[in-house]
Amino acid sequence: MQNYIERQWALCLDDFSKTISSAGMDLWINTLQPINVENDKIVFVAPSDVCRQQIYNNYLSRMKEVLKEHFKLENALVLIPEEQEAYIEAYNKSHASETGAVLDTKPTTLQNPFNPRYTFDNFVVGTTNQVIYAAARAVAESPAVRFNPLFIYGGSGLGKTHLLHAIGNYIWQHKMSNLNIVYVTCEQFTNDFVEALRVRQERGMEAFYKQYRQADVLLIDDIQFISSKKGVQEEFFNTFNELYQKGKQIIISSDRPPKDIPTLEERLRSRFASGFMQDIQPPDFETRLLIIQKKIEIERYEFEKGIDYELAERLSNFNIREMEAILRKIYFLANLNGKAVATFADMNEVLEKECQQCYVSDEKLTHEKIINAVCKYFTIDQKELTGRKRNKEIVEPRQICIYLMWHQLAIPLATIGEIFGRDHTTIIHARDKIMEQIKTNKQIKKVISDITSLLKTSND
Ligand code: ADP
Ligand code: MG
């Protein structure tokens, strides 16, 4: 069965490459692994959800034509590795008893071991990371020519692993004379070494040396976790020296500079210093904005206009991984509420939970000041504003007041509810109503902007 699939799939790949660009082939089609043929469809495993989406969105119709020809099948199902096991289990359960055949496909081994999302194209370049980006790119384009070793350091979530994978992806995609690229975290390197020692002596060590000392490009992530154990440092030092002397490229990442890694031996520190060392700083406003826009584009999120600016302002203390999480949560919340487009309300709700300080806009402002300003503007009494009356002259200012408190103060909706003696849902309703009106009703928009100016002047 497997042989048949492999043979036919090779024919398909041949056909695809006539009409699909080489980038499309390398990035997506070639990473698919066919694992089974069912009644009317062929089942693949893709390395990631992005890859699956790419296949479904851009290549499926062409694939179907070719699959029809070589497999006589009409459909394709693309799974990701997490789904693969469940699929195989279910398949075996339902088929083993009839045919005795069992699918025992091993979990996918990726042809390209690098994360397809972590490319240079997906890396947003700004003033805080442009130097390291240029160096990483130069290394990818011509390994071991300049910047060797390349040492990248910077806080968590700022793109070190992304850059290491981007170098790997680039070399892989450009098929540079079959260079042997090895990516490993420092932790994995240590485990492999300890394991090699355990299984003992020559054979274990031989495999270990083969894995690391025959690399043309060695990427070591998170070197700050290097063990203080003498054996590990010694091994790393020897690997480093051997590769370096053979003119191989070494790239290392760390969350801090070598001088601040207490477990690092001095001789390694000075080896690292002999190459090119550069940090990545947290992104500034412009870079944050570009990153947010890029993520929205890549993930195909639909966001109300202006949210990108607002988030770039408010997420100033966030690293990029955290920014991604916030975007995901906002979009998820909008979807949960049945909306295709995430709104400012969704954004605020997420920020209110996730980050109180992102939610604050003006510390001097209090809810009393807002009530005061609204009453003054509409010439109504404070008791009426927070009271039970339901005539239009009062209801609208009350809703505006609720909206302003929510928008301008870092207080939970429940607290606003207490101020007005109303429950949470009523407060949400009032807030949403005004938010909707601001979009279409110029008059309301002007009222809000007038009261906001009033608040500003009364605060100064
Ligand atoms: P680190 O290894 O420094 O902790 P990662 O490389 O894992 O950080 O980055 C965390 C997340 O942020 C990843 O999803 C990565 O794609 C993203 N990221 C980091 N820097 C950038 C950038 N400049 N442009 C786009 N995405 C980035
Ligand atoms: Mg990392």
Side-chain angles (χ1 to χ4, degrees):
M1 187 74 154
Q2 283 305 93
N3 286 342
Y4 165 73
I5 296 182
E6 273 168 20
R7 210 173 48 240
Q8 299 310 104
W9 180 234
L11 295 174
C12 293
L13 287 176
D14 252 8
D15 279 1
F16 291 142
S17 61
K18 289 176 195 148
T19 54
I20 294 175
S21 71
S22 58
M25 289 298 291
D26 283 347
L27 272 176
W28 316 118
I29 311 282
N30 281 333
T31 66
L32 291 179
Q33 190 197 341
I35 60 165
N36 194 24
V37 164
E38 291 189 1
N39 302 339
D40 63 341
K41 63 177 176 281
I42 171 163
V43 183
F44 295 95
V45 177
S48 67
D49 209 23
V50 179
C51 176
R52 167 164 58 192
Q53 276 171 22
Q54 286 286 335
I55 297 286
Y56 279 143
N57 294 346
N58 302 322
Y59 300 105
L60 202 60
S61 57
R62 260 176 294 174
M63 272 179 72
K64 280 185 176 173
E65 286 167 26
V66 175
L67 291 172
K68 198 167 173 188
E69 183 172 346
H70 296 293
F71 283 98
K72 314 284 176 261
L73 295 168
E74 300 282 346
N75 288 308
L77 170 70
V78 183
L79 305 170
I80 51 175
E82 293 98 88
E83 297 163 345
Q84 183 184 7
E85 258 176 60
Y87 169 81
I88 290 174
E89 203 176 302
Y91 181 88
N92 286 343
K93 244 193 208 149
S94 64
H95 288 73
S97 55
E98 313 161 14
T99 62
V102 169
L103 255 188
D104 66 347
T105 313
K106 306 267 176 306
T108 321
T109 42
L110 305 181
Q111 293 183 33
N112 175 351
F114 298 103
N115 186 331
R117 284 172 182 242
Y118 291 176
T119 59
F120 285 124
D121 283 349
N122 286 348
F123 191 84
V124 173
V125 186
T127 44
T128 51
N129 59 20
Q130 59 192 2
V131 177
I132 191 63
Y133 172 84
R137 213 163 165 131
V139 161
E141 283 165 10
S142 350
V145 174
R146 280 188 299 162
F147 309 133
N148 200 16
L150 176 66
F151 192 98
I152 305 175
Y153 69 95
S156 171
L158 297 182
K160 301 181 296 294
T161 298
H162 186 135
L163 277 178
L164 260 51
H165 278 248
I167 294 173
N169 269 316
Y170 186 96
I171 296 177
W172 189 275
Q173 281 154 25
H174 290 75
K175 302 222 179 323
M176 287 184 194
S177 56
N178 296 324
L179 288 184
N180 179 19
I181 328 164
V182 178
Y183 167 89
V184 69
T185 60
C186 185
E187 199 186 357
Q188 186 64 44
F189 180 89
T190 309
N191 291 346
D192 287 354
F193 176 64
V194 172
E195 181 62 17
L197 283 180
R198 197 184 63 81
V199 295
R200 244 306 128 207
Q201 304 311 342
E202 261 89 79
R203 275 199 21 250
M205 291 324 283
E206 222 174 80
F208 180 82
Y209 293 151
K210 196 163 168 221
Q211 187 172 358
Y212 293 110
R213 297 195 186 185
Q214 289 181 6
D216 295 300
V217 178
L218 178 63
L219 301 140
I220 299 213
D221 211 351
D222 287 330
I223 195 79
Q224 74 273 10
F225 294 126
I226 193 158
S227 151
S228 55
K229 286 205 189 91
K230 193 138 186 56
V232 178
Q233 297 256 345
E234 181 83 25
E235 187 50 45
F236 186 72
F237 186 72
N238 292 338
T239 308
F240 183 99
N241 277 350
E242 185 165 333
L243 292 179
Y244 189 73
Q245 275 155 17
K246 286 198 286 192
K248 307 300 184 184
Q249 177 73 51
I250 301 159
I251 302 136
I252 302 157
S253 89
S254 166
D255 69 355
R256 64 199 93 151
K259 68 175 173 45
D260 297 335
I261 308 175
T263 47
L264 195 66
E265 279 181 11
E266 190 48 45
R267 57 182 179 164
L268 272 172
R269 235 172 256 173
S270 64
R271 282 289 187 286
F272 295 163
S274 70
F276 185 79
M277 200 176 287
Q278 180 65 42
D279 64 343
I280 308 187
Q281 290 292 331
D284 54 10
F285 173 79
E286 298 296 326
T287 317
R288 285 199 300 276
L289 180 61
L290 290 173
I291 288 173
I292 289 168
Q293 290 169 339
K294 183 91 186 175
K295 301 289 166 192
I296 291 176
E297 177 200 320
I298 292 178
E299 301 295 339
R300 298 172 189 231
Y301 293 149
E302 300 273 350
F303 277 41
E304 200 178 341
K305 205 163 163 248
I307 291 192
D308 48 359
Y309 277 85
E310 192 76 14
L311 283 173
E313 288 246 1
R314 295 207 201 181
L315 301 182
S316 56
N317 291 324
F318 278 52
N319 69 40
I320 299 159
R321 188 179 296 121
E322 293 165 332
M323 284 163 54
E324 287 176 342
I326 293 284
L327 290 173
R328 230 180 356 257
K329 283 180 183 158
I330 296 173
Y331 197 60
F332 179 73
L333 178 70
N335 282 199
L336 207 65
N337 294 334
K339 289 183 273 183
V341 178
T343 62
F344 277 87
D346 300 314
M347 179 191 80
N348 275 311
E349 199 167 330
V350 168
L351 291 185
E352 189 186 2
K353 270 204 218 97
E354 304 288 329
C355 168
Q356 277 292 324
Q357 74 269 30
C358 314
Y359 193 59
V360 183
S361 53
D362 191 339
E363 282 173 11
K364 285 187 284 177
L365 205 57
T366 59
H367 72 266
E368 286 93 351
K369 284 188 185 165
I370 295 180
I371 293 180
N372 246 331
V374 173
C375 289
K376 202 159 143 193
Y377 186 87
F378 289 103
T379 50
I380 50 176
D381 189 74
Q382 287 202 13
K383 280 213 180 76
E384 280 186 326
L385 188 79
T386 53
R388 314 297 312 170
K389 271 199 188 156
R390 305 195 53 174
N391 46 323
K392 191 168 184 297
E393 294 72 44
I394 302 292
V395 169
E396 195 166 271
R398 188 180 291 141
Q399 288 175 336
I400 288 173
C401 191
I402 289 170
Y403 168 81
L404 283 168
M405 280 186 190
W406 166 77
H407 192 250
Q408 307 257 338
L409 301 174
I411 54 175
L413 289 169
T415 312
I416 304 181
E418 282 163 24
I419 296 167
F420 285 89
R422 283 166 169 85
D423 65 16
H424 192 247
T425 358
T426 315
I427 301 298
I428 293 180
H429 171 77
R431 175 200 67 181
D432 288 353
K433 185 151 182 225
I434 300 299
M435 278 188 65
E436 282 308 309
Q437 288 188 351
I438 290 175
K439 283 190 229 153
T440 49
N441 184 331
K442 281 199 183 124
Q443 209 194 333
I444 291 275
K445 205 169 160 185
K446 181 163 184 322
V447 171
I448 299 281
S449 130
D450 287 349
I451 301 177
T452 310
S453 317
L454 208 69
L455 284 167
K456 281 210 178 105
T457 42
S458 69
N459 248 344
D460 290 340

